[in-house]
Amino acid sequence: MSDVTRLPDLASRALGGAVVAANDEFFAAKENLVLPEPPVARTEFGHKGKEYDGWETRRRRSPGSDWAVVRLGAPGIVAGVVVDTAFFTGNYPPRASLDGAAVEGHPSVDELLKADWQPLLPLSDLAGGTANAFAVTSDRRVTHVRLAIHPDGGVARLRVHGTVVPDPRLVDAGPFDLAALENGAQVTAVSNEFYGRPDQLIGRGLARSMGEGWETARRRDQGNDWVEVSLACEGVVTLAELDTSWFLGNAPGSAALTGIGPAGEVVPLLPRTRLQPDTRHRFVLASAPGVERVRLDVFPDGGMARLRLWGRPTAAGRSALGRRWFDALPEVQALEVLGSAGVPPDEAGRLVGARPLTGDLPPAVRRLLDGNRLLGGDRLLDGDRV
């Protein structure tokens, strides 16, 4: 994808992102940085001065720089950053940089400040009143980013665009939404997105309005609209949810789901089925082989709030998910992950240095990378088929 801003904003509040710490937020709150809505002009004045829709620090009277730490809503690999200084003209920072860190669990602020921060964006010039966009070259998964502004000033929004890399250990707990953006699914093709972005279909939580779904223009021909989703991994879909909440006079009349397998084979999942407006439709699907992509066809057009595809990964899908995740971990976190799995430090160091891992591996490592469950009646025991 050439335009990295088409990739999900991993830091967005809509995906669960949050600004967990900042050294200063005297004029405007740090939480504004990750709001999903575009910044707006503010004209009122408060007790501390003019109000701004963004994060703004006081004027520094000592050397240094200001910073804010953001927990990504979905950890992943960063491909681009937008430091938006909209409406900050005489008070924007002239330069900024961005670092990333990967931390296990749910760290405190003190733990985050001591994390192994690695550069993602070097110190770069900014313009005022501008969505300053920068490409990022990285192959490592991060859970947090730290924006530093030099020396001080205001930033309206921080967008951290990239590819979601989910933690496969969470997948092993049970069925999960194979189509969820936070689990690594992506919208790969769409017929029309006139009124609403299709990636909102697979967003987090329930839609709060019609504006938080996917909606097409009105069709004036005999065709129909559709959207294709690349799943988090190859999996068997057992339950589909087609949610038309908020869509009253513009919901599709009917819909169908079709899967595409790893060799391009077509797998019918849900035949064309009547839909109702403003309704969460749930359909238990007949047994079918694993698929990598799913196409949703709506007839003839209209809008939908959410698409959920619940199921389990196939053995090949779980293995691909686990190995992609482990290969993308920074060294410090990879060592910590292996240590928590019971791998001795010397062996863990050797394995991390040998990524991507192939050949015979210790059972604990195979269980971590490939999972311990299979579909279709097969079982795994310590990573071995029995």
Side-chain angles (χ1 to χ4, degrees), residues 253-274:
S254 59
L257 292 170
T258 305
I260 298 96
E265 63 274 25
V266 175
V267 180
L269 297 176
L270 179 72
R272 184 169 174 174
T273 303
R274 187 183 65 178

PDB file of all heavy atoms in Angstrom, residues 253-274:
ATOM      1  N   GLY A 253     -30.791  -4.662   1.633  1.00  0.00           N
ATOM      2  CA  GLY A 253     -31.943  -5.553   1.704  1.00  0.00           C
ATOM      3  C   GLY A 253     -31.558  -6.969   2.038  1.00  0.00           C
ATOM      4  O   GLY A 253     -32.311  -7.703   2.672  1.00  0.00           O
ATOM      5  N   SER A 254     -30.364  -7.386   1.616  1.00  0.00           N
ATOM      6  CA  SER A 254     -29.871  -8.736   1.883  1.00  0.00           C
ATOM      7  C   SER A 254     -28.356  -8.735   1.774  1.00  0.00           C
ATOM      8  O   SER A 254     -27.747  -7.751   1.321  1.00  0.00           O
ATOM      9  CB  SER A 254     -30.486  -9.747   0.913  1.00  0.00           C
ATOM     10  OG  SER A 254     -30.181  -9.400  -0.426  1.00  0.00           O
ATOM     11  N   ALA A 255     -27.752  -9.847   2.174  1.00  0.00           N
ATOM     12  CA  ALA A 255     -26.290  -9.945   2.144  1.00  0.00           C
ATOM     13  C   ALA A 255     -25.879 -11.402   2.026  1.00  0.00           C
ATOM     14  O   ALA A 255     -26.660 -12.319   2.331  1.00  0.00           O
ATOM     15  CB  ALA A 255     -25.674  -9.327   3.395  1.00  0.00           C
ATOM     16  N   ALA A 256     -24.636 -11.612   1.580  1.00  0.00           N
ATOM     17  CA  ALA A 256     -24.063 -12.955   1.481  1.00  0.00           C
ATOM     18  C   ALA A 256     -22.590 -12.888   1.865  1.00  0.00           C
ATOM     19  O   ALA A 256     -21.949 -11.838   1.739  1.00  0.00           O
ATOM     20  CB  ALA A 256     -24.219 -13.504   0.064  1.00  0.00           C
ATOM     21  N   LEU A 257     -22.051 -14.026   2.343  1.00  0.00           N
ATOM     22  CA  LEU A 257     -20.639 -14.128   2.712  1.00  0.00           C
ATOM     23  C   LEU A 257     -19.995 -15.272   1.930  1.00  0.00           C
ATOM     24  O   LEU A 257     -20.539 -16.377   1.879  1.00  0.00           O
ATOM     25  CB  LEU A 257     -20.484 -14.397   4.209  1.00  0.00           C
ATOM     26  CG  LEU A 257     -20.882 -13.277   5.168  1.00  0.00           C
ATOM     27  CD1 LEU A 257     -20.905 -13.795   6.599  1.00  0.00           C
ATOM     28  CD2 LEU A 257     -19.904 -12.097   5.045  1.00  0.00           C
ATOM     29  N   THR A 258     -18.827 -14.992   1.369  1.00  0.00           N
ATOM     30  CA  THR A 258     -18.078 -15.996   0.623  1.00  0.00           C
ATOM     31  C   THR A 258     -16.638 -15.988   1.096  1.00  0.00           C
ATOM     32  O   THR A 258     -16.020 -14.918   1.190  1.00  0.00           O
ATOM     33  CB  THR A 258     -18.117 -15.703  -0.888  1.00  0.00           C
ATOM     34  OG1 THR A 258     -19.478 -15.594  -1.307  1.00  0.00           O
ATOM     35  CG2 THR A 258     -17.438 -16.815  -1.665  1.00  0.00           C
ATOM     36  N   GLY A 259     -16.091 -17.157   1.394  1.00  0.00           N
ATOM     37  CA  GLY A 259     -14.701 -17.263   1.798  1.00  0.00           C
ATOM     38  C   GLY A 259     -13.799 -17.612   0.634  1.00  0.00           C
ATOM     39  O   GLY A 259     -14.243 -18.200  -0.356  1.00  0.00           O
ATOM     40  N   ILE A 260     -12.533 -17.222   0.760  1.00  0.00           N
ATOM     41  CA  ILE A 260     -11.511 -17.584  -0.229  1.00  0.00           C
ATOM     42  C   ILE A 260     -10.405 -18.317   0.505  1.00  0.00           C
ATOM     43  O   ILE A 260      -9.824 -17.804   1.459  1.00  0.00           O
ATOM     44  CB  ILE A 260     -10.949 -16.348  -0.957  1.00  0.00           C
ATOM     45  CG1 ILE A 260     -12.067 -15.628  -1.732  1.00  0.00           C
ATOM     46  CG2 ILE A 260      -9.846 -16.769  -1.918  1.00  0.00           C
ATOM     47  CD1 ILE A 260     -12.696 -14.486  -1.020  1.00  0.00           C
ATOM     48  N   GLY A 261     -10.141 -19.556   0.085  1.00  0.00           N
ATOM     49  CA  GLY A 261      -9.161 -20.395   0.751  1.00  0.00           C
ATOM     50  C   GLY A 261      -7.741 -20.069   0.350  1.00  0.00           C
ATOM     51  O   GLY A 261      -7.491 -19.208  -0.500  1.00  0.00           O
ATOM     52  N   PRO A 262      -6.753 -20.750   0.957  1.00  0.00           N
ATOM     53  CA  PRO A 262      -5.332 -20.453   0.706  1.00  0.00           C
ATOM     54  C   PRO A 262      -4.902 -20.691  -0.732  1.00  0.00           C
ATOM     55  O   PRO A 262      -3.946 -20.081  -1.198  1.00  0.00           O
ATOM     56  CB  PRO A 262      -4.595 -21.382   1.677  1.00  0.00           C
ATOM     57  CG  PRO A 262      -5.579 -22.447   2.040  1.00  0.00           C
ATOM     58  CD  PRO A 262      -6.921 -21.800   1.980  1.00  0.00           C
ATOM     59  N   ALA A 263      -5.598 -21.558  -1.463  1.00  0.00           N
ATOM     60  CA  ALA A 263      -5.258 -21.810  -2.868  1.00  0.00           C
ATOM     61  C   ALA A 263      -6.188 -21.067  -3.815  1.00  0.00           C
ATOM     62  O   ALA A 263      -6.214 -21.346  -5.010  1.00  0.00           O
ATOM     63  CB  ALA A 263      -5.317 -23.310  -3.152  1.00  0.00           C
ATOM     64  N   GLY A 264      -6.971 -20.118  -3.282  1.00  0.00           N
ATOM     65  CA  GLY A 264      -7.888 -19.353  -4.104  1.00  0.00           C
ATOM     66  C   GLY A 264      -9.238 -20.002  -4.286  1.00  0.00           C
ATOM     67  O   GLY A 264     -10.086 -19.486  -5.025  1.00  0.00           O
ATOM     68  N   GLU A 265      -9.484 -21.115  -3.605  1.00  0.00           N
ATOM     69  CA  GLU A 265     -10.767 -21.800  -3.762  1.00  0.00           C
ATOM     70  C   GLU A 265     -11.891 -20.997  -3.099  1.00  0.00           C
ATOM     71  O   GLU A 265     -11.696 -20.352  -2.064  1.00  0.00           O
ATOM     72  CB  GLU A 265     -10.712 -23.205  -3.173  1.00  0.00           C
ATOM     73  CG  GLU A 265     -10.463 -23.294  -1.668  1.00  0.00           C
ATOM     74  CD  GLU A 265      -8.987 -23.284  -1.279  1.00  0.00           C
ATOM     75  OE1 GLU A 265      -8.176 -22.756  -2.062  1.00  0.00           O
ATOM     76  OE2 GLU A 265      -8.670 -23.796  -0.192  1.00  0.00           O
ATOM     77  N   VAL A 266     -13.073 -21.027  -3.713  1.00  0.00           N
ATOM     78  CA  VAL A 266     -14.241 -20.304  -3.219  1.00  0.00           C
ATOM     79  C   VAL A 266     -15.007 -21.187  -2.239  1.00  0.00           C
ATOM     80  O   VAL A 266     -15.322 -22.347  -2.536  1.00  0.00           O
ATOM     81  CB  VAL A 266     -15.141 -19.875  -4.392  1.00  0.00           C
ATOM     82  CG1 VAL A 266     -16.413 -19.228  -3.872  1.00  0.00           C
ATOM     83  CG2 VAL A 266     -14.387 -18.922  -5.308  1.00  0.00           C
ATOM     84  N   VAL A 267     -15.311 -20.640  -1.053  1.00  0.00           N
ATOM     85  CA  VAL A 267     -15.997 -21.402  -0.004  1.00  0.00           C
ATOM     86  C   VAL A 267     -17.259 -20.636   0.397  1.00  0.00           C
ATOM     87  O   VAL A 267     -17.174 -19.609   1.066  1.00  0.00           O
ATOM     88  CB  VAL A 267     -15.082 -21.591   1.224  1.00  0.00           C
ATOM     89  CG1 VAL A 267     -15.806 -22.375   2.315  1.00  0.00           C
ATOM     90  CG2 VAL A 267     -13.781 -22.271   0.835  1.00  0.00           C
ATOM     91  N   PRO A 268     -18.446 -21.091  -0.003  1.00  0.00           N
ATOM     92  CA  PRO A 268     -19.684 -20.421   0.430  1.00  0.00           C
ATOM     93  C   PRO A 268     -19.834 -20.507   1.953  1.00  0.00           C
ATOM     94  O   PRO A 268     -19.693 -21.585   2.542  1.00  0.00           O
ATOM     95  CB  PRO A 268     -20.782 -21.209  -0.276  1.00  0.00           C
ATOM     96  CG  PRO A 268     -20.095 -21.916  -1.406  1.00  0.00           C
ATOM     97  CD  PRO A 268     -18.713 -22.220  -0.913  1.00  0.00           C
ATOM     98  N   LEU A 269     -20.090 -19.363   2.585  1.00  0.00           N
ATOM     99  CA  LEU A 269     -20.257 -19.323   4.037  1.00  0.00           C
ATOM    100  C   LEU A 269     -21.692 -19.004   4.438  1.00  0.00           C
ATOM    101  O   LEU A 269     -22.263 -19.668   5.311  1.00  0.00           O
ATOM    102  CB  LEU A 269     -19.307 -18.287   4.652  1.00  0.00           C
ATOM    103  CG  LEU A 269     -17.815 -18.540   4.487  1.00  0.00           C
ATOM    104  CD1 LEU A 269     -17.014 -17.378   5.057  1.00  0.00           C
ATOM    105  CD2 LEU A 269     -17.397 -19.840   5.147  1.00  0.00           C
ATOM    106  N   LEU A 270     -22.282 -17.993   3.817  1.00  0.00           N
ATOM    107  CA  LEU A 270     -23.658 -17.601   4.105  1.00  0.00           C
ATOM    108  C   LEU A 270     -24.345 -17.274   2.789  1.00  0.00           C
ATOM    109  O   LEU A 270     -23.914 -16.357   2.082  1.00  0.00           O
ATOM    110  CB  LEU A 270     -23.686 -16.379   5.038  1.00  0.00           C
ATOM    111  CG  LEU A 270     -25.078 -15.849   5.413  1.00  0.00           C
ATOM    112  CD1 LEU A 270     -25.771 -16.804   6.384  1.00  0.00           C
ATOM    113  CD2 LEU A 270     -24.967 -14.444   6.023  1.00  0.00           C
ATOM    114  N   PRO A 271     -25.390 -18.008   2.422  1.00  0.00           N
ATOM    115  CA  PRO A 271     -26.089 -17.673   1.182  1.00  0.00           C
ATOM    116  C   PRO A 271     -26.794 -16.325   1.318  1.00  0.00           C
ATOM    117  O   PRO A 271     -26.938 -15.791   2.430  1.00  0.00           O
ATOM    118  CB  PRO A 271     -27.100 -18.813   1.036  1.00  0.00           C
ATOM    119  CG  PRO A 271     -27.337 -19.292   2.429  1.00  0.00           C
ATOM    120  CD  PRO A 271     -26.022 -19.129   3.137  1.00  0.00           C
ATOM    121  N   ARG A 272     -27.212 -15.789   0.186  1.00  0.00           N
ATOM    122  CA  ARG A 272     -27.900 -14.499   0.225  1.00  0.00           C
ATOM    123  C   ARG A 272     -29.078 -14.574   1.191  1.00  0.00           C
ATOM    124  O   ARG A 272     -29.960 -15.442   1.065  1.00  0.00           O
ATOM    125  CB  ARG A 272     -28.364 -14.113  -1.172  1.00  0.00           C
ATOM    126  CG  ARG A 272     -29.013 -12.736  -1.242  1.00  0.00           C
ATOM    127  CD  ARG A 272     -29.199 -12.287  -2.669  1.00  0.00           C
ATOM    128  NE  ARG A 272     -29.946 -11.039  -2.736  1.00  0.00           N
ATOM    129  CZ  ARG A 272     -30.163 -10.359  -3.860  1.00  0.00           C
ATOM    130  NH1 ARG A 272     -29.676 -10.819  -5.013  1.00  0.00           N
ATOM    131  NH2 ARG A 272     -30.850  -9.239  -3.841  1.00  0.00           N
ATOM    132  N   THR A 273     -29.060 -13.686   2.185  1.00  0.00           N
ATOM    133  CA  THR A 273     -29.999 -13.756   3.298  1.00  0.00           C
ATOM    134  C   THR A 273     -30.602 -12.377   3.545  1.00  0.00           C
ATOM    135  O   THR A 273     -29.898 -11.371   3.521  1.00  0.00           O
ATOM    136  CB  THR A 273     -29.283 -14.245   4.574  1.00  0.00           C
ATOM    137  OG1 THR A 273     -28.677 -15.519   4.307  1.00  0.00           O
ATOM    138  CG2 THR A 273     -30.240 -14.371   5.741  1.00  0.00           C
ATOM    139  N   ARG A 274     -31.882 -12.325   3.813  1.00  0.00           N
ATOM    140  CA  ARG A 274     -32.568 -11.055   4.061  1.00  0.00           C
ATOM    141  C   ARG A 274     -32.068 -10.401   5.349  1.00  0.00           C
ATOM    142  O   ARG A 274     -31.831 -11.082   6.356  1.00  0.00           O
ATOM    143  CB  ARG A 274     -34.078 -11.296   4.169  1.00  0.00           C
ATOM    144  CG  ARG A 274     -34.905 -10.005   4.253  1.00  0.00           C
ATOM    145  CD  ARG A 274     -36.369 -10.322   4.436  1.00  0.00           C
ATOM    146  NE  ARG A 274     -36.615 -10.990   5.721  1.00  0.00           N
ATOM    147  CZ  ARG A 274     -37.829 -11.345   6.137  1.00  0.00           C
ATOM    148  NH1 ARG A 274     -38.884 -11.142   5.366  1.00  0.00           N
ATOM    149  NH2 ARG A 274     -37.973 -11.932   7.314  1.00  0.00           N
TER     150      ARG A 274
END
